[in-house]
PDB file of all heavy atoms in Angstrom:
ATOM      1  N   TYR A 125       9.963  26.277  -5.436  1.00 98.00           N
ATOM      2  CA  TYR A 125       9.306  26.844  -6.588  1.00 98.00           C
ATOM      3  C   TYR A 125      10.170  27.005  -7.739  1.00 98.00           C
ATOM      4  O   TYR A 125      11.470  27.192  -7.610  1.00 98.00           O
ATOM      5  CB  TYR A 125       8.955  28.348  -6.120  1.00 98.00           C
ATOM      6  CG  TYR A 125       7.946  29.028  -7.060  1.00 98.00           C
ATOM      7  CD1 TYR A 125       6.588  28.955  -6.703  1.00 98.00           C
ATOM      8  CD2 TYR A 125       8.306  29.594  -8.242  1.00 98.00           C
ATOM      9  CE1 TYR A 125       5.588  29.580  -7.536  1.00 98.00           C
ATOM     10  CE2 TYR A 125       7.398  30.202  -9.025  1.00 98.00           C
ATOM     11  CZ  TYR A 125       6.086  30.172  -8.755  1.00 98.00           C
ATOM     12  OH  TYR A 125       5.150  30.776  -9.561  1.00 98.00           O
ATOM     13  N   ALA A 126       9.692  26.856  -9.056  1.00 98.00           N
ATOM     14  CA  ALA A 126      10.440  26.916 -10.203  1.00 98.00           C
ATOM     15  C   ALA A 126       9.717  27.600 -11.225  1.00 98.00           C
ATOM     16  O   ALA A 126       8.494  27.265 -11.526  1.00 98.00           O
ATOM     17  CB  ALA A 126      10.888  25.564 -10.666  1.00 98.00           C
ATOM     18  N   GLY A 127      10.296  28.586 -11.998  1.00 98.00           N
ATOM     19  CA  GLY A 127       9.701  29.245 -13.120  1.00 98.00           C
ATOM     20  C   GLY A 127       8.912  30.488 -12.805  1.00 98.00           C
ATOM     21  O   GLY A 127       9.194  31.269 -11.985  1.00 98.00           O
ATOM     22  N   LYS A 128       7.863  30.717 -13.554  1.00 97.00           N
ATOM     23  CA  LYS A 128       7.073  31.887 -13.652  1.00 97.00           C
ATOM     24  C   LYS A 128       6.379  32.058 -12.270  1.00 97.00           C
ATOM     25  O   LYS A 128       5.904  31.073 -11.656  1.00 97.00           O
ATOM     26  CB  LYS A 128       5.926  31.830 -14.695  1.00 97.00           C
ATOM     27  CG  LYS A 128       5.038  33.030 -14.758  1.00 97.00           C
ATOM     28  CD  LYS A 128       4.072  32.941 -15.850  1.00 97.00           C
ATOM     29  CE  LYS A 128       3.094  34.144 -15.757  1.00 97.00           C
ATOM     30  NZ  LYS A 128       2.111  34.206 -16.860  1.00 97.00           N
ATOM     31  N   TRP A 129       6.334  33.331 -11.848  1.00 97.00           N
ATOM     32  CA  TRP A 129       5.673  33.765 -10.554  1.00 97.00           C
ATOM     33  C   TRP A 129       4.334  34.380 -10.947  1.00 97.00           C
ATOM     34  O   TRP A 129       3.352  33.832 -10.952  1.00 97.00           O
ATOM     35  CB  TRP A 129       6.577  34.578  -9.755  1.00 97.00           C
ATOM     36  CG  TRP A 129       6.021  35.213  -8.500  1.00 97.00           C
ATOM     37  CD1 TRP A 129       5.999  36.537  -8.163  1.00 97.00           C
ATOM     38  CD2 TRP A 129       5.505  34.493  -7.396  1.00 97.00           C
ATOM     39  NE1 TRP A 129       5.452  36.704  -6.854  1.00 97.00           N
ATOM     40  CE2 TRP A 129       5.139  35.391  -6.443  1.00 97.00           C
ATOM     41  CE3 TRP A 129       5.235  33.143  -7.175  1.00 97.00           C
ATOM     42  CZ2 TRP A 129       4.545  35.075  -5.160  1.00 97.00           C
ATOM     43  CZ3 TRP A 129       4.618  32.736  -5.897  1.00 97.00           C
ATOM     44  CH2 TRP A 129       4.229  33.749  -4.988  1.00 97.00           C
ATOM     45  N   VAL A 136       8.292  38.328  -4.002  1.00 97.00           N
ATOM     46  CA  VAL A 136       8.624  37.186  -4.856  1.00 97.00           C
ATOM     47  C   VAL A 136       8.630  35.955  -4.098  1.00 97.00           C
ATOM     48  O   VAL A 136       8.398  35.843  -2.882  1.00 97.00           O
ATOM     49  CB  VAL A 136      10.109  37.444  -5.450  1.00 97.00           C
ATOM     50  CG1 VAL A 136      10.127  38.558  -6.501  1.00 97.00           C
ATOM     51  CG2 VAL A 136      11.136  37.755  -4.262  1.00 97.00           C
ATOM     52  N   PRO A 137       8.734  34.748  -4.776  1.00 98.00           N
ATOM     53  CA  PRO A 137       8.541  33.483  -4.091  1.00 98.00           C
ATOM     54  C   PRO A 137       9.442  33.315  -2.828  1.00 98.00           C
ATOM     55  O   PRO A 137       8.909  32.836  -1.753  1.00 98.00           O
ATOM     56  CB  PRO A 137       8.916  32.440  -5.137  1.00 98.00           C
ATOM     57  CG  PRO A 137       8.506  33.125  -6.420  1.00 98.00           C
ATOM     58  CD  PRO A 137       8.892  34.572  -6.175  1.00 98.00           C
ATOM     59  N   SER A 138      10.699  33.749  -2.888  1.00 98.00           N
ATOM     60  CA  SER A 138      11.621  33.527  -1.768  1.00 98.00           C
ATOM     61  C   SER A 138      11.097  34.328  -0.548  1.00 98.00           C
ATOM     62  O   SER A 138      11.312  33.914   0.588  1.00 98.00           O
ATOM     63  CB  SER A 138      13.045  33.955  -2.106  1.00 98.00           C
ATOM     64  OG  SER A 138      13.083  35.333  -2.390  1.00 98.00           O
ATOM     65  N   PHE A 142       9.603  30.105  -0.243  1.00 98.00           N
ATOM     66  CA  PHE A 142       9.997  29.170  -1.305  1.00 98.00           C
ATOM     67  C   PHE A 142      11.528  29.207  -1.468  1.00 98.00           C
ATOM     68  O   PHE A 142      12.178  30.183  -1.561  1.00 98.00           O
ATOM     69  CB  PHE A 142       9.274  29.398  -2.618  1.00 98.00           C
ATOM     70  CG  PHE A 142       7.811  29.157  -2.619  1.00 98.00           C
ATOM     71  CD1 PHE A 142       6.910  30.196  -2.585  1.00 98.00           C
ATOM     72  CD2 PHE A 142       7.381  27.846  -2.790  1.00 98.00           C
ATOM     73  CE1 PHE A 142       5.564  29.955  -2.592  1.00 98.00           C
ATOM     74  CE2 PHE A 142       6.013  27.563  -2.858  1.00 98.00           C
ATOM     75  CZ  PHE A 142       5.081  28.678  -2.801  1.00 98.00           C
ATOM     76  N   ARG A 143      11.995  27.936  -1.697  1.00 98.00           N
ATOM     77  CA  ARG A 143      13.378  27.811  -2.287  1.00 98.00           C
ATOM     78  C   ARG A 143      13.300  27.763  -3.768  1.00 98.00           C
ATOM     79  O   ARG A 143      12.357  27.193  -4.380  1.00 98.00           O
ATOM     80  CB  ARG A 143      14.034  26.545  -1.701  1.00 98.00           C
ATOM     81  CG  ARG A 143      14.261  26.409  -0.304  1.00 98.00           C
ATOM     82  CD  ARG A 143      15.097  25.139  -0.081  1.00 98.00           C
ATOM     83  NE  ARG A 143      14.699  24.551   1.243  1.00 98.00           N
ATOM     84  CZ  ARG A 143      15.141  23.362   1.712  1.00 98.00           C
ATOM     85  NH1 ARG A 143      16.075  22.760   0.921  1.00 98.00           N
ATOM     86  NH2 ARG A 143      14.750  22.825   2.862  1.00 98.00           N
ATOM     87  N   GLY A 144      14.303  28.530  -4.377  1.00 98.00           N
ATOM     88  CA  GLY A 144      14.257  28.599  -5.807  1.00 98.00           C
ATOM     89  C   GLY A 144      14.705  29.944  -6.266  1.00 98.00           C
ATOM     90  O   GLY A 144      14.908  30.817  -5.539  1.00 98.00           O
ATOM     91  N   LYS A 145      14.694  30.092  -7.663  1.00 97.00           N
ATOM     92  CA  LYS A 145      15.080  31.307  -8.171  1.00 97.00           C
ATOM     93  C   LYS A 145      13.826  32.245  -8.398  1.00 97.00           C
ATOM     94  O   LYS A 145      12.870  31.787  -8.885  1.00 97.00           O
ATOM     95  CB  LYS A 145      15.835  31.110  -9.506  1.00 97.00           C
ATOM     96  CG  LYS A 145      17.060  30.260  -9.470  1.00 97.00           C
ATOM     97  CD  LYS A 145      17.768  30.036 -10.769  1.00 97.00           C
ATOM     98  CE  LYS A 145      19.066  29.347 -10.626  1.00 97.00           C
ATOM     99  NZ  LYS A 145      18.829  27.901 -10.050  1.00 97.00           N
ATOM    100  N   ASP A 146      14.047  33.502  -8.070  1.00 97.00           N
ATOM    101  CA  ASP A 146      12.920  34.488  -8.236  1.00 97.00           C
ATOM    102  C   ASP A 146      12.880  35.049  -9.642  1.00 97.00           C
ATOM    103  O   ASP A 146      13.960  35.452 -10.235  1.00 97.00           O
ATOM    104  CB  ASP A 146      13.090  35.612  -7.265  1.00 97.00           C
ATOM    105  CG  ASP A 146      12.983  35.178  -5.706  1.00 97.00           C
ATOM    106  OD1 ASP A 146      12.056  34.253  -5.551  1.00 97.00           O
ATOM    107  OD2 ASP A 146      13.661  35.620  -4.915  1.00 97.00           O
ATOM    108  N   PHE A 147      11.648  35.096 -10.164  1.00 96.00           N
ATOM    109  CA  PHE A 147      11.392  35.779 -11.421  1.00 96.00           C
ATOM    110  C   PHE A 147      10.345  36.892 -11.077  1.00 96.00           C
ATOM    111  O   PHE A 147       9.147  36.559 -11.175  1.00 96.00           O
ATOM    112  CB  PHE A 147      10.983  34.834 -12.534  1.00 96.00           C
ATOM    113  CG  PHE A 147      12.031  33.998 -13.037  1.00 96.00           C
ATOM    114  CD1 PHE A 147      12.254  32.675 -12.359  1.00 96.00           C
ATOM    115  CD2 PHE A 147      12.816  34.249 -14.072  1.00 96.00           C
ATOM    116  CE1 PHE A 147      13.275  31.839 -12.809  1.00 96.00           C
ATOM    117  CE2 PHE A 147      13.804  33.477 -14.542  1.00 96.00           C
ATOM    118  CZ  PHE A 147      14.017  32.192 -13.916  1.00 96.00           C
ATOM    119  N   PRO A 148      10.781  38.103 -10.737  1.00 94.00           N
ATOM    120  CA  PRO A 148       9.694  39.123 -10.328  1.00 94.00           C
ATOM    121  C   PRO A 148       8.673  39.266 -11.388  1.00 94.00           C
ATOM    122  O   PRO A 148       8.986  39.353 -12.560  1.00 94.00           O
ATOM    123  CB  PRO A 148      10.622  40.356 -10.007  1.00 94.00           C
ATOM    124  CG  PRO A 148      11.960  39.771  -9.783  1.00 94.00           C
ATOM    125  CD  PRO A 148      12.041  38.606 -10.704  1.00 94.00           C
ATOM    126  N   THR A 172      16.211  39.239 -15.147  1.00 93.00           N
ATOM    127  CA  THR A 172      16.896  38.273 -14.277  1.00 93.00           C
ATOM    128  C   THR A 172      18.002  37.609 -15.034  1.00 93.00           C
ATOM    129  O   THR A 172      17.916  37.399 -16.260  1.00 93.00           O
ATOM    130  CB  THR A 172      15.957  37.214 -13.663  1.00 93.00           C
ATOM    131  OG1 THR A 172      15.345  36.567 -14.699  1.00 93.00           O
ATOM    132  CG2 THR A 172      14.908  37.961 -12.776  1.00 93.00           C
ATOM    133  N   PRO A 173      19.092  37.221 -14.438  1.00 93.00           N
ATOM    134  CA  PRO A 173      20.216  36.544 -15.118  1.00 93.00           C
ATOM    135  C   PRO A 173      20.078  35.007 -15.139  1.00 93.00           C
ATOM    136  O   PRO A 173      20.986  34.267 -15.691  1.00 93.00           O
ATOM    137  CB  PRO A 173      21.414  36.890 -14.213  1.00 93.00           C
ATOM    138  CG  PRO A 173      20.900  36.973 -12.809  1.00 93.00           C
ATOM    139  CD  PRO A 173      19.427  37.465 -13.019  1.00 93.00           C
ATOM    140  N   HIS A 174      18.961  34.486 -14.666  1.00 96.00           N
ATOM    141  CA  HIS A 174      18.821  33.057 -14.366  1.00 96.00           C
ATOM    142  C   HIS A 174      18.995  32.154 -15.599  1.00 96.00           C
ATOM    143  O   HIS A 174      19.648  31.176 -15.631  1.00 96.00           O
ATOM    144  CB  HIS A 174      17.633  32.688 -13.636  1.00 96.00           C
ATOM    145  CG  HIS A 174      17.397  33.443 -12.347  1.00 96.00           C
ATOM    146  ND1 HIS A 174      18.391  33.679 -11.504  1.00 96.00           N
ATOM    147  CD2 HIS A 174      16.282  34.139 -11.927  1.00 96.00           C
ATOM    148  CE1 HIS A 174      17.879  34.391 -10.509  1.00 96.00           C
ATOM    149  NE2 HIS A 174      16.688  34.708 -10.737  1.00 96.00           N
ATOM    150  N   TYR A 175      18.355  32.663 -16.720  1.00 96.00           N
ATOM    151  CA  TYR A 175      18.434  31.825 -17.943  1.00 96.00           C
ATOM    152  C   TYR A 175      19.884  31.738 -18.499  1.00 96.00           C
ATOM    153  O   TYR A 175      20.368  30.647 -18.854  1.00 96.00           O
ATOM    154  CB  TYR A 175      17.466  32.387 -19.035  1.00 96.00           C
ATOM    155  CG  TYR A 175      17.318  31.584 -20.291  1.00 96.00           C
ATOM    156  CD1 TYR A 175      17.521  30.277 -20.316  1.00 96.00           C
ATOM    157  CD2 TYR A 175      17.020  32.336 -21.442  1.00 96.00           C
ATOM    158  CE1 TYR A 175      17.414  29.518 -21.554  1.00 96.00           C
ATOM    159  CE2 TYR A 175      16.839  31.672 -22.630  1.00 96.00           C
ATOM    160  CZ  TYR A 175      17.019  30.278 -22.687  1.00 96.00           C
ATOM    161  OH  TYR A 175      16.870  29.572 -23.832  1.00 96.00           O
ATOM    162  N   ASP A 177      22.627  32.144 -16.766  1.00 96.00           N
ATOM    163  CA  ASP A 177      23.314  31.310 -15.813  1.00 96.00           C
ATOM    164  C   ASP A 177      23.093  29.887 -16.099  1.00 96.00           C
ATOM    165  O   ASP A 177      24.060  29.034 -16.085  1.00 96.00           O
ATOM    166  CB  ASP A 177      22.900  31.646 -14.425  1.00 96.00           C
ATOM    167  CG  ASP A 177      23.363  33.032 -13.951  1.00 96.00           C
ATOM    168  OD1 ASP A 177      24.230  33.729 -14.669  1.00 96.00           O
ATOM    169  OD2 ASP A 177      22.789  33.511 -12.942  1.00 96.00           O
ATOM    170  N   TYR A 178      21.872  29.421 -16.321  1.00 97.00           N
ATOM    171  CA  TYR A 178      21.505  28.115 -16.654  1.00 97.00           C
ATOM    172  C   TYR A 178      22.283  27.561 -17.834  1.00 97.00           C
ATOM    173  O   TYR A 178      22.893  26.458 -17.879  1.00 97.00           O
ATOM    174  CB  TYR A 178      20.027  27.913 -16.831  1.00 97.00           C
ATOM    175  CG  TYR A 178      19.550  26.634 -17.465  1.00 97.00           C
ATOM    176  CD1 TYR A 178      19.442  25.507 -16.752  1.00 97.00           C
ATOM    177  CD2 TYR A 178      19.268  26.650 -18.890  1.00 97.00           C
ATOM    178  CE1 TYR A 178      19.094  24.272 -17.467  1.00 97.00           C
ATOM    179  CE2 TYR A 178      18.877  25.449 -19.534  1.00 97.00           C
ATOM    180  CZ  TYR A 178      18.792  24.288 -18.731  1.00 97.00           C
ATOM    181  OH  TYR A 178      18.320  23.096 -19.416  1.00 97.00           O
ATOM    182  N   GLU A 181      26.054  27.326 -17.016  1.00 97.00           N
ATOM    183  CA  GLU A 181      26.288  26.187 -16.097  1.00 97.00           C
ATOM    184  C   GLU A 181      26.292  24.824 -16.789  1.00 97.00           C
ATOM    185  O   GLU A 181      26.996  23.860 -16.334  1.00 97.00           O
ATOM    186  CB  GLU A 181      25.315  26.219 -14.893  1.00 97.00           C
ATOM    187  CG  GLU A 181      25.521  27.373 -13.989  1.00 97.00           C
ATOM    188  CD  GLU A 181      24.336  27.621 -13.045  1.00 97.00           C
ATOM    189  OE1 GLU A 181      23.434  26.767 -13.105  1.00 97.00           O
ATOM    190  OE2 GLU A 181      24.419  28.561 -12.291  1.00 97.00           O
ATOM    191  N   MET A 220      14.898  24.828 -18.322  1.00 98.00           N
ATOM    192  CA  MET A 220      15.458  25.322 -17.039  1.00 98.00           C
ATOM    193  C   MET A 220      14.440  25.127 -15.890  1.00 98.00           C
ATOM    194  O   MET A 220      14.890  24.787 -14.842  1.00 98.00           O
ATOM    195  CB  MET A 220      15.796  26.902 -17.254  1.00 98.00           C
ATOM    196  CG  MET A 220      16.142  27.633 -16.010  1.00 98.00           C
ATOM    197  SD  MET A 220      16.318  29.386 -16.286  1.00 98.00           S
ATOM    198  CE  MET A 220      14.609  29.884 -16.659  1.00 98.00           C
ATOM    199  N   GLU A 224      15.051  22.820 -12.625  1.00 98.00           N
ATOM    200  CA  GLU A 224      15.023  23.310 -11.199  1.00 98.00           C
ATOM    201  C   GLU A 224      13.960  22.442 -10.452  1.00 98.00           C
ATOM    202  O   GLU A 224      14.197  22.187  -9.301  1.00 98.00           O
ATOM    203  CB  GLU A 224      14.692  24.711 -11.105  1.00 98.00           C
ATOM    204  CG  GLU A 224      14.738  25.290  -9.709  1.00 98.00           C
ATOM    205  CD  GLU A 224      14.765  26.712  -9.549  1.00 98.00           C
ATOM    206  OE1 GLU A 224      14.582  27.482 -10.635  1.00 98.00           O
ATOM    207  OE2 GLU A 224      14.971  27.269  -8.438  1.00 98.00           O
ATOM    208  N   ASP A 227      15.666  19.292  -9.403  1.00 98.00           N
ATOM    209  CA  ASP A 227      16.585  19.528  -8.283  1.00 98.00           C
ATOM    210  C   ASP A 227      15.784  19.630  -6.972  1.00 98.00           C
ATOM    211  O   ASP A 227      16.286  19.045  -6.031  1.00 98.00           O
ATOM    212  CB  ASP A 227      17.296  20.933  -8.538  1.00 98.00           C
ATOM    213  CG  ASP A 227      18.428  20.775  -9.603  1.00 98.00           C
ATOM    214  OD1 ASP A 227      18.752  19.671  -9.953  1.00 98.00           O
ATOM    215  OD2 ASP A 227      18.908  21.850 -10.086  1.00 98.00           O
ATOM    216  N   HIS A 228      14.662  20.312  -6.977  1.00 98.00           N
ATOM    217  CA  HIS A 228      13.872  20.346  -5.788  1.00 98.00           C
ATOM    218  C   HIS A 228      13.435  18.978  -5.302  1.00 98.00           C
ATOM    219  O   HIS A 228      13.456  18.573  -4.102  1.00 98.00           O
ATOM    220  CB  HIS A 228      12.632  21.149  -5.990  1.00 98.00           C
ATOM    221  CG  HIS A 228      12.898  22.657  -6.072  1.00 98.00           C
ATOM    222  ND1 HIS A 228      13.734  23.219  -5.151  1.00 98.00           N
ATOM    223  CD2 HIS A 228      12.308  23.667  -6.796  1.00 98.00           C
ATOM    224  CE1 HIS A 228      13.691  24.570  -5.486  1.00 98.00           C
ATOM    225  NE2 HIS A 228      12.919  24.768  -6.449  1.00 98.00           N
ATOM    226  N   TRP A 250       6.306  28.968 -18.597  1.00 97.00           N
ATOM    227  CA  TRP A 250       5.737  30.209 -19.207  1.00 97.00           C
ATOM    228  C   TRP A 250       4.847  29.910 -20.379  1.00 97.00           C
ATOM    229  O   TRP A 250       4.114  30.715 -20.806  1.00 97.00           O
ATOM    230  CB  TRP A 250       6.864  31.085 -19.622  1.00 97.00           C
ATOM    231  CG  TRP A 250       7.397  31.969 -18.524  1.00 97.00           C
ATOM    232  CD1 TRP A 250       6.986  33.182 -18.202  1.00 97.00           C
ATOM    233  CD2 TRP A 250       8.487  31.693 -17.650  1.00 97.00           C
ATOM    234  NE1 TRP A 250       7.726  33.731 -17.171  1.00 97.00           N
ATOM    235  CE2 TRP A 250       8.677  32.799 -16.808  1.00 97.00           C
ATOM    236  CE3 TRP A 250       9.370  30.559 -17.477  1.00 97.00           C
ATOM    237  CZ2 TRP A 250       9.628  32.882 -15.792  1.00 97.00           C
ATOM    238  CZ3 TRP A 250      10.350  30.700 -16.507  1.00 97.00           C
ATOM    239  CH2 TRP A 250      10.476  31.727 -15.726  1.00 97.00           C
TER     240      TRP A 250
END
Side-chain angles (χ1 to χ4, degrees):
Y125 197 97
K128 178 178 175 175
W129 175 234
V136 290
S138 63
F142 286 103
R143 295 188 215 174
K145 298 179 178 64
D146 291 322
F147 290 89
T172 57
H174 307 314
Y175 183 30
D177 292 345
Y178 163 81
E181 288 168 5
M220 171 187 68
E224 186 165 9
D227 287 344
H228 286 320
W250 276 272

